[in-house]
């Protein structure tokens, strides 16, 4: 098999591979990441620009891991009290649903009332219009 | 914690139990989902609103809303994406009601973010990174947090968020580029 050289892959291909590698690896510092292809590793060793990018991504990955872990460490798993409270509130009726249920009957009455009044008004207007039309034709 | 296919299948099993199990089984499933995703949702919300205590209250409310309407969730594996959406909306409403223009002022004050006895340089670096993450647009901040808090890769994230893998990977690349640029700017501004 032919030995890879720095030029076996281009800088663009290497930089894409580095980004792909970072996105494809689970968080917490590239644990379980697949090793980079030999040609890419070879290119990185011989190319200053790509080596710089690889180091920058590795450093950023480490910094993101430790900073976000530190931030998350200030937020603990839910306490037993919090879990119990959530489950208790879950077993109660949703306040929004309760309010909706309370409002349902008066709301229905208002809606039907409005519809009834509107229909009555429409019928009256039509009746008057019809009466006027008959009168005009009679003359 | 990593998210392999078994973990996703486990989520789906709990959701199905909630949708059709008896009272005790449902409570157990609620409890497990709450414990599994609590920190992720709380961290994302804290990053957004800049207050840990309020973030935990919003997280609890998000879980309650998600659980109350879980029967309408047709794809059990998409639970996390759905929960994230609910918590995002709640955080937006909260910020609107508080009329806070930006949560960034207080991100460094979040407890646990920075250890007081850490060397100054390391503290500065962590602060810069956390600020850069907080300054990212929501969709980029979300994938970065999913990667580092929940230990997900692009594939796992795509499954959990019920989005195409290519879309999620592209979002991760953009987030990486934006973070690199933001940190570079911060380093240049340093004396």
């Amino acid at each position: 098999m032919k030995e890879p050289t720095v030029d076996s892959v281009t800088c663009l291909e290497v930089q894409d591979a580095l980004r792909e590698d970072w996105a494809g690896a689970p968080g917490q510092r590239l644990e379980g990441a697949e090793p980079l292809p030999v040609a890419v590793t070879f290119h990185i060793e011989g190319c200053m620009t790509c080596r710089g990018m690889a180091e920058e991504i590795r450093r950023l990955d480490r910094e993101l891991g430790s900073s976000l872990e530190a931030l998350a460490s200030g937020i603990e798993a839910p306490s037993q009290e919090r879990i119990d409270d959530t489950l208790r509130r879950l077993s109660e009726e949703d306040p929004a649903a309760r309010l909706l249920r309370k409002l349902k009957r008066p709301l229905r009455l208002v809606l039907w009332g409005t519809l009834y009044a509107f229909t009555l008004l429409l019928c009256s207007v039509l009746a008057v219009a019809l009466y006027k039309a008959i009168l005009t034709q009679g003359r | 914690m990593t998210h392999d296919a078994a973990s996703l299948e486990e989520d789906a099993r709990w959701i199905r139990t909630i949708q059709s199990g008896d009272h005790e089984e449902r409570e157990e499933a609620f409890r497990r989902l709450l414990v599994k995703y609590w920190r992720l949702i709380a961290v994302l919300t804290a990053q957004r609103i800049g207050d840990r205590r309020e973030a935990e209250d919003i997280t609890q409310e998000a879980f309650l809303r998600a659980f109350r309407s879980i029967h309408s969730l047709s794809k059990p594996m998409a639970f996390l994406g759905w929960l994230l959406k609910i918590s995002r909306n709640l955080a937006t409403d909260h910020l609107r009601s508080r009329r806070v223009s930006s949560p960034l002022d207080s991100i460094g004050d979040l407890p646990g973010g920075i250890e007081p006895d850490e060397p100054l340089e390391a503290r500065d670096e962590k602060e810069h990174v956390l600020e850069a993450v907080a300054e990212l647009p929501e969709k980029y901040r979300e994938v970065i947090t999913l990667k580092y808090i929940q230990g997900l890769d692009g594939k796992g994230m795509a499954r959990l968020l019920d989005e195409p893998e290519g879309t999620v990977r592209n979002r991760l690349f953009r987030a990486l580029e934006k973070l690199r640029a933001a940190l570079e700017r911060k380093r240049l501004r340093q004396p």
Side-chain angles (χ1 to χ4, degrees):
Chain A
M1 213 168 97
K2 213 174 125 191
E3 276 283 300
T5 65
V6 174
D7 297 327
S8 300
V9 281
T10 64
C11 288
L12 264 178
E13 285 170 328
V14 170
Q15 287 165 15
D16 277 349
L18 286 170
R19 274 191 288 263
E20 280 285 344
D21 181 58
W22 173 80
Q28 288 132 27
R29 273 142 288 151
L30 299 176
E31 275 167 33
E34 291 285 321
L36 285 165
V38 183
V40 172
T41 319
F42 205 84
H43 179 102
I44 290 171
E45 277 167 21
C47 171
M48 229 165 73
T49 314
C50 293
R51 198 166 56 239
M53 184 177 173
E55 276 163 13
E56 198 189 336
I57 291 179
R58 261 181 233 126
R59 195 188 61 221
L60 186 57
D61 185 63
R62 266 197 314 273
E63 286 172 355
L64 278 168
S66 64
S67 304
L68 284 167
E69 256 179 46
L71 175 65
S73 70
I75 293 172
E76 287 161 13
S79 62
Q80 192 54 46
E81 210 175 53
R82 183 75 87 163
I83 295 175
D84 291 344
D85 182 54
T86 310
L87 293 176
R88 183 188 52 76
R89 286 176 61 190
L90 251 184
S91 61
E92 288 169 0
E93 194 182 2
D94 181 3
R98 197 188 313 142
L99 184 70
L100 201 68
R101 190 170 48 80
K102 274 188 183 170
L103 287 175
K104 224 172 174 178
R105 195 177 144 73
L107 260 179
R108 210 165 40 201
L109 280 174
V110 169
L111 278 174
W112 278 113
T114 312
L115 188 69
Y116 181 72
F118 183 73
T119 314
L120 211 64
L121 186 72
L122 194 70
C123 288
S124 313
V125 169
L126 281 174
V128 169
L130 193 68
Y131 179 70
K132 275 188 177 170
I134 292 168
L135 274 187
T136 319
Q137 270 201 342
R139 272 181 214 149
Chain B
M1 191 197 324
T2 54
H3 278 259
D4 48 17
S7 166
L8 281 171
E9 190 42 53
E10 196 177 49
D11 281 11
R13 213 169 43 240
W14 290 335
I15 305 286
R16 281 193 290 268
T17 304
I18 293 171
Q19 288 174 333
S20 57
D22 66 25
H23 181 73
E24 267 180 37
E25 286 173 337
R26 290 178 61 200
E27 274 212 347
E28 184 56 26
F30 280 138
R31 192 184 299 272
R32 282 174 185 267
L33 285 169
L34 194 73
V35 171
K36 185 169 181 181
Y37 293 120
W38 178 273
R39 274 179 85 204
L40 172 72
I41 302 295
V43 169
L44 274 166
T45 313
Q47 280 175 341
R48 188 134 201 242
I49 66 168
D51 185 301
R52 187 182 68 108
R53 194 181 290 269
E54 285 178 357
E56 291 192 2
D57 289 342
I58 291 172
T59 302
Q60 183 178 20
E61 192 54 40
F63 272 102
L64 277 169
R65 287 202 188 180
F67 288 159
R68 274 180 182 140
S69 47
I70 209 158
H71 292 276
S72 62
L73 182 68
S74 54
K75 287 184 186 168
M77 281 197 188
F79 174 72
L80 181 60
W82 192 52
L83 183 63
L84 284 170
K85 207 170 170 183
I86 295 173
S87 64
R88 210 183 296 144
N89 290 342
L90 283 171
T92 305
D93 290 349
H94 180 82
L95 282 176
R96 210 173 284 150
S97 71
R98 225 172 52 176
R99 299 214 178 275
V100 170
S101 54
S102 162
L104 302 180
D105 297 342
S106 47
I107 197 81
D109 300 335
L110 284 173
I114 312 291
E115 292 292 329
D117 53 351
E118 257 187 314
L120 197 62
E121 218 170 82
R123 280 173 61 179
D124 277 355
E125 199 53 60
K126 270 188 188 172
E127 243 170 43
H128 284 160
V129 174
L130 287 178
E131 271 171 19
V133 173
E135 282 165 8
L136 283 175
E138 180 88 40
K139 58 180 181 176
Y140 300 124
R141 190 166 63 225
E142 205 167 87
V143 286
I144 290 291
T145 311
L146 278 168
K147 184 170 167 66
Y148 289 97
I149 301 290
Q150 206 68 17
L152 290 169
D153 59 4
K155 204 173 182 176
M157 231 177 270
R159 274 200 205 132
L160 272 180
L161 297 174
D162 194 28
E163 287 188 54
E165 195 183 332
T167 309
V168 174
R169 284 174 97 89
N170 270 334
R171 207 177 295 156
L172 272 167
F173 297 158
R174 294 239 169 105
L176 179 71
E177 290 311 319
K178 280 179 184 289
L179 278 174
R180 283 175 65 199
L183 287 168
E184 190 56 42
R185 276 198 304 273
K186 280 182 197 295
R187 276 178 199 129
L188 285 176
R189 254 185 276 149
Q190 263 189 330

